[in-house]
Amino acid sequence: MPPVLNVITLATFAASLSVRALDPVLPHVAEDFDVSIATAASFAAVFAFTFAIVQPAIGAAADLFGKARLMTICLMLLGLANVLGALSTSFPILFITRVLAGIGSGGVFPVALSLTSDLVGPDKRQIAIGRTLAGSMTGNLLGATASGLIGDLLGWRGVLAVLGGLVIIVALAVAAGFRGAALSHAPRTSLTALRHGYRTIFTNPNARFCYSAVFIEGCCVLGLFPFIASFLFQLGETSLSIAGIVIAGFAIGGLFYTLTVSRLLPRLGVRGMMVVGATLVGLQLVFVAFGPGWKLQMLGLLVMGWGFYMIHGCLQVFASELSVEARATALSLHSFFFFMGQTVGPIAYGFGLQHAGKTPTLVAAATVMVVLGFVCARFLRQRAPADAYGTIEE
């Protein structure tokens, strides 16, 4: 594997620290601004929505001006947005800072996947992407856990201030690492080539299944997370640290996936990975629906994270193979649909919890996920992109 993958992994780590940072402390945010928990959960939705809507522009900009340069700028924006969020004096101001954080985070992860795919051939790509995911999962893990711990000590403002400062430091380190790797020169890409890339992507039969699947994943799985802390509050667990640990279980499962993917893939194959992964997710959603203790919920989310990345990792590889010359665009569209699902998810869960109740809502989401695994295994096929014989440069 190319050494520069370590720099890419560091970038995804820093970008992921803030993704779940507010989830464990949402009850305190709601209390401070005198809003409902459902309203506070809109932070997760606006972060995901902003992340999603910038993806078409991010992908095009990365293909035009250089992936490494764009990732560094967006990391710096993310760090500054978190610091500004810590200084917010009203709910609307905090809301705006989460929009800026979504833009910053949105410019890192999908571009990192594209750069990884550029550097590694298809035969080792899923393993390389697994390494990149390890950085993201570690960031999610530490972000959620540290958020709960810092929240108990310094409040939610302390969470954003500490994470913001850390992301800025990492942004400077990543900039130095990319400069040493000489990856910041502009590629020979044009707007005409980008238009051709979009046509290449959407004429591939895999595109509609891949993008639809990640939308459903984001809705059914990630849409649940803003409500985990409130579920625990209902069980009498009011410690923010406990909420952070439970949510971190999902990230631990993701890390477990990165450690096992090289062994699972030869044994299960891509189809088996998608079916088994989706089934594990569905079973754990049903498990959480019955409200076990926090330790068992943490274990359930660990298994859920492992299963989720079994199917999600396969979908990422399919997305990376939709186009060669517009790979950053293809993977940014992948993130667009994924985070649009995370935008709709909290809204859908909020509606379901209010009108149908916890158990029916989570069981419905579980059913959708299991069906999704079988549909993906049935219809997604390895297909060479139409521009497979083109050339690419960073």
Side-chain angles (χ1 to χ4, degrees):
M1 296 294 173
V4 74
L5 281 182
N6 296 324
V7 180
I8 297 172
T9 300
L10 179 62
T12 61
F13 165 80
S16 299
L17 283 173
S18 303
V19 174
R20 307 252 68 94
L22 283 183
D23 287 354
V25 297
L26 279 181
H28 285 197
V29 175
E31 181 180 355
D32 282 358
F33 290 118
D34 194 24
V35 297
S36 68
I37 188 65
T39 301
S42 65
F43 286 129
V46 72
F47 186 96
F49 179 71
T50 307
F51 191 115
I53 61 173
V54 301
Q55 291 311 307
I58 288 292
D63 283 325
L64 281 171
F65 305 117
K67 303 177 181 70
R69 183 183 299 114
L70 184 64
M71 288 170 61
T72 304
I73 292 172
C74 288
L75 269 178
M76 187 63 68
L77 174 62
L78 175 60
L80 291 174
N82 281 333
V83 173
L84 292 174
L87 302 175
S88 299
T89 56
S90 67
F91 186 86
I93 293 176
L94 181 58
F95 192 88
I96 291 171
T97 65
R98 297 314 290 167
V99 171
L100 295 175
I103 295 172
S105 183
V108 177
F109 188 67
V111 180
L113 292 181
S114 174
L115 188 53
T116 300
S117 299
D118 288 347
L119 294 167
V120 181
D123 56 329
K124 296 183 178 179
R125 188 170 295 157
Q126 188 156 352
I127 296 173
I129 287 178
R131 182 178 296 184
T132 304
L133 280 174
S136 176
M137 290 303 96
T138 304
N140 275 325
L141 170 61
L142 293 181
T145 306
S147 175
L149 295 173
I150 297 171
D152 279 334
L153 295 174
L154 303 176
W156 63 267
R157 295 181 187 274
V159 170
L160 291 178
V162 171
L163 293 182
L166 182 58
V167 171
I168 291 172
I169 293 171
V170 172
L172 297 174
V174 167
F178 278 135
R179 189 181 304 114
L183 289 173
S184 59
H185 63 280
R188 295 176 182 176
T189 308
S190 64
L191 291 175
T192 300
L194 288 174
R195 287 195 295 269
H196 175 71
Y198 272 105
R199 287 195 298 269
T200 301
I201 291 166
F202 286 105
T203 55
N204 191 317
N206 283 341
R208 63 180 181 273
F209 292 107
C210 186
Y211 292 151
S212 298
V214 295
F215 175 85
I216 294 171
E217 281 185 329
C219 185
C220 292
V221 182
L222 280 300
L224 173 69
F225 283 24
F227 299 95
I228 294 292
S230 63
F231 290 165
L232 292 171
F233 272 41
Q234 293 170 7
L235 297 175
E237 295 290 350
T238 59
S239 170
L240 299 180
S241 300
I242 295 297
I245 291 171
V246 171
I247 294 172
F250 187 86
I252 295 173
L255 283 173
F256 187 63
Y257 161 80
T258 67
L259 297 174
T260 58
V261 60
S262 60
R263 297 180 180 88
L264 289 174
L265 192 57
R267 296 179 180 179
L268 297 178
V270 174
R271 294 184 187 179
M273 292 275 284
M274 291 190 288
V275 171
V276 173
T279 302
L280 286 174
V281 170
L283 290 174
Q284 300 315 307
L285 283 170
V286 173
F287 181 68
V288 172
F290 289 99
W294 73 266
K295 295 179 181 178
L296 291 176
Q297 285 203 41
M298 188 267 188
L299 181 61
L301 261 70
L302 187 155
V303 177
M304 187 189 298
W306 184 40
F308 173 81
Y309 281 100
M310 288 173 67
I311 179 173
H312 190 69
C314 294
L315 293 174
Q316 285 173 327
V317 173
F318 278 114
S320 75
E321 296 173 354
L322 293 174
S323 174
V324 174
E325 294 183 356
R327 183 170 282 134
T329 301
L331 284 164
S332 290
L333 287 171
H334 175 277
S335 290
F336 168 79
F337 286 101
F338 182 46
F339 277 84
M340 282 302 295
Q342 293 186 50
T343 301
V344 174
I347 299 171
Y349 268 107
F351 181 86
L353 293 170
Q354 183 177 357
H355 293 89
K358 178 181 176 181
T359 301
T361 299
L362 269 67
V363 169
T367 303
V368 171
M369 282 301 302
V370 173
V371 171
L372 178 68
F374 283 94
V375 170
C376 289
R378 172 68 177 82
F379 291 103
L380 284 172
R381 296 286 184 274
Q382 297 292 336
R383 296 179 173 93
D387 58 358
Y389 298 103
T391 58
I392 54 172
E393 294 183 34
E394 162 52 13

